[in-house]
Amino acid sequence: EAQVTQNPRYLITVTGKKLTVTCSQNMNHEYMSWYRQDPGLGLRQIYYSMNVEVTDKGDVPEGYKVSRKEKRNFPLILESPSPNQTSLYFCASSLWVGGDGYTFGSGTRLTVV
Amino acid sequence: AQTVTQSQPEMSVQEAETVTLSCTYDTSENNYYLFWYKQPPSRQMILVIRQEAYKQQNATENRFSVNFQKAAKSFSLKISDSQLGDTAMYFCAFMKPPSGNTPLVFGKGTRLSVIA
């Protein structure tokens, strides 16, 4: 089954404790992206990657890092999480040349206390 | 930069009735893609329908259809014969043609409740 797999689904952590949210897709998509969803703000892009070793900032990149060492994986790293990063996070992927929209992971609900 | 506006934060509809969700967008592009995504309580983002701007014909997927008005930059979603399972948050989204970063730009969403 074609899908984007995100883990974990829920995460509660403390301020300053480094964490990684994993994302993997099995569709051979070139393009991958991370979004955060906050009430009243919709979804906003954090980082994106157009291919292996090619990553760049989206609209709200502060406090986040990403890497793309393999085509299928695109982890989101929070080096020193803060409470304002409490949010719902989505990983998504797409064929770069298409207009089919994105395939989304099932989301990670992160709470930073 | 492109923007997407959903002017109805919340809506409700009786089961089996028809409801229309509004979406407007702002862009200087001539060719682009528009989408409606559904987010039920499970949080999964589900593609409902897509429209390519160069196509005049409005897209239809079963009970879901759009009214695409390119000149007015309007892209509304009509849900016919509403069902309880249609209760969800609905997001309108815009994407320019693939070239460099092509993020989906989302509206803030409309929460739809279908009432029995």
Side-chain angles (χ1 to χ4, degrees):
Chain A
E1 180 189 354
Q3 60 184 358
V4 176
T5 302
Q6 243 182 278
N7 282 298
R9 191 160 169 79
Y10 297 91
L11 180 59
I12 301 174
T13 190
V14 297
T15 299
K17 185 176 182 181
K18 180 179 178 180
L19 65 93
T20 299
V21 183
T22 63
C23 174
S24 180
Q25 50 94 4
N26 62 2
M27 296 165 283
N28 203 35
H29 284 171
E30 296 93 353
Y31 186 92
M32 297 186 74
S33 184
W34 277 100
Y35 282 79
R36 61 178 288 174
Q37 181 183 357
D38 302 290
L41 297 178
L43 286 84
R44 296 175 292 168
Q45 191 186 47
I46 302 170
Y47 265 94
Y48 67 94
S49 169
M50 291 194 289
N51 215 323
V52 176
E53 302 293 1
V54 181
T55 64
D56 209 342
K57 298 176 181 178
D59 295 325
V60 288
E62 294 76 21
Y64 304 96
K65 285 176 55 177
V66 293
S67 69
R68 188 95 180 270
K69 293 184 171 58
E70 303 165 283
K71 196 172 186 178
R72 62 185 293 127
N73 295 325
F74 190 46
L76 179 69
I77 303 156
L78 284 72
E79 295 270 2
S80 183
S82 63
N84 64 11
Q85 292 179 298
T86 292
S87 188
L88 177 59
Y89 291 87
F90 285 98
C91 179
S93 72
S94 74
L95 282 171
W96 186 52
V97 296
D100 294 332
Y102 292 179
T103 301
F104 284 86
S106 55
T108 297
R109 171 73 69 186
L110 172 65
T111 303
V112 184
V113 298
Chain B
Q2 290 80 15
T3 59
V4 177
T5 301
Q6 294 178 248
S7 59
Q8 306 149 315
E10 293 188 19
M11 295 188 72
S12 62
V13 63
Q14 291 289 136
E15 198 174 6
E17 298 294 310
T18 295
V19 64
T20 299
L21 281 57
S22 301
C23 173
T24 59
Y25 57 94
D26 187 25
T27 184
S28 58
E29 303 278 347
N30 186 51
N31 192 24
Y32 46 86
Y33 304 89
L34 295 162
F35 307 85
W36 279 98
Y37 279 87
K38 171 185 177 181
Q39 186 180 45
S42 67
R43 300 186 330 212
Q44 184 69 43
M45 293 290 285
I46 302 166
L47 178 63
V48 175
I49 201 165
R50 66 186 286 272
Q51 175 82 40
E52 298 168 39
Y54 65 85
K55 289 188 176 179
Q56 299 273 4
Q57 188 172 7
N58 289 325
T60 299
E61 289 287 341
N62 301 313
R63 297 182 295 107
F64 298 87
S65 62
V66 298
N67 183 5
F68 173 50
Q69 303 286 331
K70 190 173 184 179
K73 297 181 181 176
S74 171
F75 183 60
S76 60
L77 174 70
K78 185 171 82 170
I79 306 174
S80 304
D81 185 25
S82 296
Q83 302 175 358
L84 295 177
D86 296 333
T87 292
M89 181 74 86
Y90 287 83
F91 291 98
C92 178
F94 170 100
M95 187 170 79
K96 66 181 184 180
S99 175
N101 186 26
T102 52
L104 273 173
V105 178
F106 287 88
K108 295 181 179 180
T110 296
R111 185 174 300 281
L112 177 67
S113 299
V114 180
I115 303 164

